[in-house]
Amino acid sequence: MTYKELVAVYEKLESTTKRLEKTYYVAQLLKKSTDKEVPVLMLLLQGIIFPAWEEKKIGVAARLVLKAINVATGIDTKKIEKEWKDTGDLGKVAENLVARKKQVTLFSRELSIEKVYNNLKQLADMTGQGTVDKKVKLIAELLTSAKPNEAKYIIRTVLEDLRVGAGEGVLRDAIVSAYFPAIYGVSDYCINCNKIVPATDKCIECANKLDGKFSASYIEKFENYIESYNANIPKDKTNVIKKIKLLKIKTTDELKHEVLNNYDVIICEDEKQAREAYNFLVASLQEAIDISNDFADAALLAKNKGLSGLSNIKLEALSPIKVMLYQKAADILDAFEQVSRPAALEFKYDGFRLQLHRNGDKIKLFTRRLEDVTEQFPDVVKVVKDNIRSKNYILDSEVIGYDTKTKRFLPFQHISQRIRRKYDIKELTEKVPVIINLFDAVLVDERNLIKLPFAERRAIIKKITNEVSYKIQLAEQLITADNKEAEEFYKKALELGNEGVMAKNLEAPYKPGSRVGYGVKIKPTMENLDLVIVAAEWGEGKRSRWLSSFTVACRDDDTGELLELGKVSTGLKEKADEGVSFEEMTKLLEPLFEQDESSDKTSKSVKEVRVKPKIVIEIGYEEIQKSPTYTSGYALRFPRVLRLRTDKPVDEISSLSQVEDLFYGQK
Ligand code: AMP
């Protein structure tokens, strides 16, 4: 398929906000695509190159795109930059400049969707030094062959900013519409262009008023038409209708049966029935997507095997399925609001997710990203083999490390080495032992549990598990509708070194791959710290006139001594009107330089200067870690300057015990 055909659909998608119309355009494209093209289309239509769960990114910065436009068009980078500033959209810039260039070149190759996809895919696979030029080349190669409007969408895809709005919902509906029978009430028929179109007042193709050929009042008269139509199906290949069925559906089973008969159109008795029938088709497809965890797989099954193919998708142990994800809740009250009362509260263990699969004697373990890590965890394999009384299952768990001496849970960093380790695995299992916390069940004894309420799934885990202290257990759980009880459980979870708590809806199904809000997570957000600057470093390059990195300290509550917590170099601005600037900070600190060997501020050989502790700044960060590098014994992860605290005297800055409390509170 040419990229041009896809671009035509992008343009149509961009021209409407109506979901039915979007679905129609995508469905038309799917109808004419081959098995090989479907997977590529599924991604490009969403403006992505990797399925969401792959967590892989193209990772190309705007600067690199500028360079690629420059290489492809020969137009000066400065000019490109100016256009970018004027339009604010590099896609548009590429479109304009390629158009200008095309006026002077005569020949360009037709781009295929595969070519675009392959070049973009290679961008993400390239890492490390010396790859910039290769990346520029890959993008420039596409731009050289692209027509102006193609260039626009290529660049938007590169920048992961397609903006045409074919989300997963539209894709799913389009697959239904492309590969399943059209259903009256959702679809209509335009005599003028002989097409099944969305049921709106006008035909989407020729703008003719639709006379409701599938409408209920017409059905009676239509029966004869259907009969003669089916007897003389037009040979013309462009004709989308092959076989029409007038259906009086009573049950979904009946519908299922009829759909299997390969009709192209199904006309229901009334609109309500039609809706029901349509929703049934959509739900069947969605379920297949959830289980196969791949849009392309589900689309191909629908295309080649129809509804019967979809219903044959089976959950099978040993082949990973997408894990269910959880939304955030601000606090306990918000959590109850989202999952309703009573809810199951569980410890949110700070480990990593492990999907446990067994079929017969074979056991496999997969991470959240569906990587097979069975080899790395022989201890887990043994524990589940010995203590789960079933030979066929898919269970969901969080595995945590613990300190063999103190028996306290260890933060994730300590066990992350076990996920990647390929050698000395046995030694590591002894050094860093783990506990398996089972919290969900997807399949047990060949029974698909996805639709069962959470409470029942949990009961099944309990039935088949032999809990062994410090080896395998069900996630600690409290079922409650009471705020106070829930708050206490949350407090206890934090005290025991957990990240927070989960709150789960007791009635909810297991939804693979989706963040539907059947469960939410609650964890403390980190409080900002007010710290004093005790040293600073001169910058480099264009920042060499300024101090650009600052060592910050908190106060020892007992002695008043200042204890360092790390260096911060982000958060300050180049320009004064954007916030605290490097220049302003340098001016504030220069008079405070200590009169020692580093006082020669013009000497380039002295990079770091100690300063009198006067300037207090508010610091945000992701996490507090233990660290031998700094005198406080702690370090901040991803610290950033938020603002100057000129209102705060040094003896009121954050204390070491506050830092300690936050450190223990975060886990
Ligand atoms: P987050 O990674 O912050 O989105 O939080 C969700 C993650 O918490 C899940 O993917 C699990 O890895 C982890 N987790 C820890 N304890 C539980 C639990 N009891 N139930 C569900 N997930 C849990």
Side-chain angles (χ1 to χ4, degrees):
M1 179 180 289
T2 61
Y3 191 61
K4 189 163 100 186
E5 287 168 274
L6 174 61
V7 164
V9 172
Y10 283 152
E11 286 177 335
K12 284 183 177 160
L13 287 172
E14 228 173 343
S15 72
T16 177
T17 52
K18 292 202 186 97
R19 174 142 170 180
L20 272 179
E21 287 184 19
K22 284 183 193 271
T23 302
Y24 174 77
Y25 296 130
V26 176
Q28 294 300 98
L29 194 67
L30 291 182
K31 273 185 190 163
K32 60 178 184 188
S33 50
T34 64
D35 283 9
K36 243 180 97 192
E37 289 160 352
V38 166
V40 176
L41 277 180
M42 286 295 142
L43 295 168
L44 289 184
L45 277 165
Q46 295 179 78
I48 55 177
I49 296 298
F50 306 99
W53 53 266
E54 257 201 48
E55 288 173 24
K56 233 173 164 182
K57 290 251 177 296
I58 298 180
V60 164
R63 288 269 135 211
L64 201 143
V65 168
L66 273 176
K67 183 80 197 134
I69 300 176
N70 158 262
V71 170
T73 61
I75 294 167
D76 188 56
T77 324
K78 288 242 159 55
K79 271 195 196 144
I80 304 175
E81 221 162 305
K82 182 167 180 312
E83 284 230 13
W84 181 24
K85 282 217 177 88
D86 293 346
T87 59
D89 176 353
L90 267 177
K92 265 238 137 324
V93 172
E95 181 175 24
N96 294 343
L97 299 186
V98 166
R100 226 178 285 166
K101 172 85 187 319
K102 287 281 134 112
Q103 288 168 353
V104 283
T105 46
L106 294 169
F107 175 77
S108 70
R109 220 157 38 108
E110 187 82 71
L111 281 172
S112 68
I113 55 169
E114 286 88 359
K115 174 71 189 163
V116 173
Y117 172 74
N118 286 333
N119 274 31
L120 300 191
K121 192 160 175 279
Q122 283 177 52
L123 289 175
D125 294 336
M126 278 179 193
T127 49
Q129 281 188 339
T131 53
V132 171
D133 285 346
K134 286 189 202 146
K135 288 185 181 179
V136 167
K137 223 170 125 196
L138 280 170
I139 303 171
E141 189 198 353
L142 293 177
L143 292 180
T144 311
S145 308
K147 310 220 168 28
N149 57 349
E150 292 171 2
K152 176 169 87 181
Y153 292 106
I154 289 170
I155 293 306
R156 285 192 184 169
T157 309
V158 169
L159 293 172
E160 296 173 321
D161 185 22
L162 185 65
R163 305 185 218 166
V164 295
E168 293 195 348
V170 168
L171 276 194
R172 183 197 57 207
D173 293 359
I175 296 171
V176 167
S177 154
Y179 305 132
F180 291 156
I183 293 184
Y184 148 72
V186 184
S187 317
D188 216 323
Y189 175 60
C190 174
I191 319 174
N192 212 25
C193 44
N194 189 21
K195 276 190 176 151
I196 299 169
V197 292
T200 49
D201 53 341
K202 284 194 299 231
C203 171
I204 192 167
E205 294 283 350
C206 62
N208 262 2
K209 204 168 163 294
L210 289 172
D211 63 358
K213 212 157 201 200
F214 293 163
S215 72
S217 64
Y218 198 88
I219 286 179
E220 231 165 280
K221 279 186 262 164
F222 200 45
E223 267 179 51
N224 293 335
Y225 172 79
I226 292 169
E227 220 165 88
S228 65
Y229 185 95
N230 284 343
N232 304 290
I233 295 171
K235 297 273 181 300
D236 180 0
K237 270 210 173 129
T238 58
N239 194 315
V240 283
I241 305 179
K242 292 196 199 83
K243 213 168 165 190
I244 302 181
K245 169 81 177 176
L246 172 62
L247 190 67
K248 301 176 198 284
I249 322 172
K250 300 211 172 49
T251 63
T252 41
D253 275 348
E254 220 176 284
L255 172 78
K256 221 173 182 174
H257 178 77
E258 294 300 342
V259 173
L260 298 182
N261 275 337
N262 221 1
Y263 294 105
D264 279 357
V265 182
I266 289 180
I267 301 168
C268 301
E269 277 210 308
D270 60 42
E271 219 165 307
K272 191 168 156 269
Q273 247 185 16
R275 264 287 139 200
E276 234 167 67
Y278 179 71
N279 289 344
F280 165 71
L281 294 182
V282 169
S284 306
L285 180 70
Q286 184 64 53
E287 205 178 310
I289 293 169
D290 290 345
I291 293 173
S292 71
N293 87 57
D294 192 330
F295 256 87
D297 269 4
L300 285 175
L301 266 177
K303 178 171 186 281
N304 299 320
K305 304 250 163 71
L307 196 64
S308 61
L310 285 189
S311 54
N312 285 341
I313 285 198
K314 272 207 357 221
L315 257 183
E316 275 179 44
L318 306 184
S319 83
I321 71 161
K322 272 200 242 180
V323 297
M324 175 147 91
L325 301 167
Y326 306 92
Q327 288 179 350
K328 259 192 202 148
D331 50 33
I332 293 287
L333 276 183
D334 181 31
F336 273 130
E337 193 113 310
Q338 292 195 50
V339 301
S340 78
R341 295 174 201 253
L345 271 86
E346 289 177 4
F347 284 178
K348 183 179 191 312
Y349 300 98
D350 184 16
F352 64 95
R353 193 148 181 179
L354 211 54
Q355 218 177 80
L356 317 172
H357 288 242
R358 176 165 187 176
N359 195 14
D361 285 334
K362 215 166 163 50
I363 290 182
K364 276 194 180 196
L365 312 174
F366 298 97
T367 63
R368 171 195 164 125
R369 291 175 58 184
L370 314 185
E371 294 152 325
D372 185 339
V373 289
T374 318
E375 296 275 311
Q376 287 92 309
F377 293 93
D379 47 342
V380 172
V381 170
K382 180 161 178 10
V383 169
V384 299
K385 196 170 223 156
D386 292 347
N387 298 295
I388 296 177
R389 293 182 296 270
S390 163
K391 283 200 158 189
N392 178 273
Y393 54 77
I394 303 176
L395 303 178
D396 211 342
S397 75
E398 182 84 357
V399 166
I400 42 165
Y402 67 94
D403 185 322
T404 42
K405 288 197 199 91
T406 64
K407 297 272 180 184
R408 273 183 78 92
F409 299 158
L410 289 172
F412 171 68
Q413 297 93 293
H414 290 254
I415 45 167
S416 59
Q417 44 175 325
R418 290 208 47 188
I419 303 174
R420 286 183 302 275
R421 186 64 81 88
K422 294 272 173 344
Y423 55 91
D424 292 342
I425 287 172
K426 188 156 184 310
E427 259 181 278
L428 202 60
T429 57
E430 279 154 24
K431 211 171 110 206
V432 192
V434 294
I435 310 171
I436 308 156
N437 300 284
L438 300 165
F439 62 78
D440 221 322
V442 182
L443 174 91
V444 170
D445 292 338
E446 283 170 27
R447 181 171 170 219
N448 181 340
L449 309 178
I450 281 185
K451 289 192 182 145
L452 233 53
F454 172 60
E456 285 181 41
R457 298 200 302 276
R458 164 106 183 177
I460 292 174
I461 312 177
K462 192 151 184 70
K463 218 168 108 194
I464 59 169
T465 307
N466 182 23
E467 293 187 72
V468 183
S469 164
Y470 281 91
K471 281 198 173 5
I472 185 165
Q473 62 196 17
L474 270 69
E476 179 83 15
Q477 193 189 67
L478 170 78
I479 295 179
T480 181
D482 182 69
N483 294 344
K484 225 173 122 214
E485 266 180 37
E487 289 288 357
E488 267 157 27
F489 185 78
Y490 182 29
K491 207 170 133 217
K492 181 171 131 200
L494 294 177
E495 276 166 12
L496 290 174
N498 295 295
E499 245 191 311
V501 288
M502 311 293 297
K504 299 179 181 177
N505 180 319
L506 289 163
E507 301 296 323
Y510 189 96
K511 271 277 183 195
S514 116
R515 218 179 269 284
V516 276
Y518 291 150
V520 294
K521 56 196 175 196
I522 311 139
K523 48 184 182 181
T525 47
M526 298 309 288
E527 238 171 74
N528 296 335
L529 291 170
D530 293 321
L531 303 173
V532 68
I533 299 177
V534 293
E537 254 176 58
W538 291 103
E540 283 176 2
K542 67 177 183 178
R543 288 193 190 154
S544 59
R545 287 176 297 127
W546 300 325
L547 293 164
S548 72
S549 167
F550 309 89
T551 305
V552 287
C554 63
R555 194 174 39 82
D556 185 322
D557 320 60
D558 298 326
T559 63
E561 195 188 343
L562 294 175
L563 302 169
E564 292 178 7
L565 259 175
K567 292 183 180 184
V568 49
S569 52
T570 49
L572 290 193
K573 306 292 186 240
E574 303 276 352
K575 295 193 189 104
D577 55 356
E578 291 167 351
V580 190
S581 68
F582 287 106
E583 189 176 0
E584 184 185 357
M585 189 62 100
T586 306
K587 284 199 177 132
L588 281 171
L589 290 174
E590 274 182 313
L592 302 173
F593 286 176
E594 296 280 10
Q595 294 299 314
D596 59 19
E597 72 281 2
S598 60
S599 63
D600 180 7
K601 62 191 182 207
T602 56
S603 162
K604 290 281 175 236
S605 61
V606 186
K607 263 198 89 199
E608 192 188 61
V609 283
R610 305 295 303 178
V611 297
K612 291 199 184 80
K614 286 264 189 303
I615 305 298
V616 178
I617 48 181
E618 187 174 333
I619 302 282
Y621 55 94
E622 293 294 325
E623 200 187 347
I624 298 174
Q625 292 171 325
K626 284 224 180 217
S627 162
T629 318
Y630 300 107
T631 47
S632 66
Y634 294 95
L636 303 177
R637 199 156 165 255
F638 303 131
R640 59 199 181 278
V641 179
L642 297 176
R643 60 191 176 119
L644 278 170
R645 290 299 308 257
T646 36
D647 55 330
K648 210 160 205 187
V650 177
D651 54 5
E652 277 178 44
I653 61 170
S654 306
S655 65
L656 182 63
S657 58
Q658 251 171 304
V659 172
E660 263 164 355
D661 285 350
L662 287 166
F663 172 77
Y664 285 106
Q666 75 193 350
K667 293 188 285 89

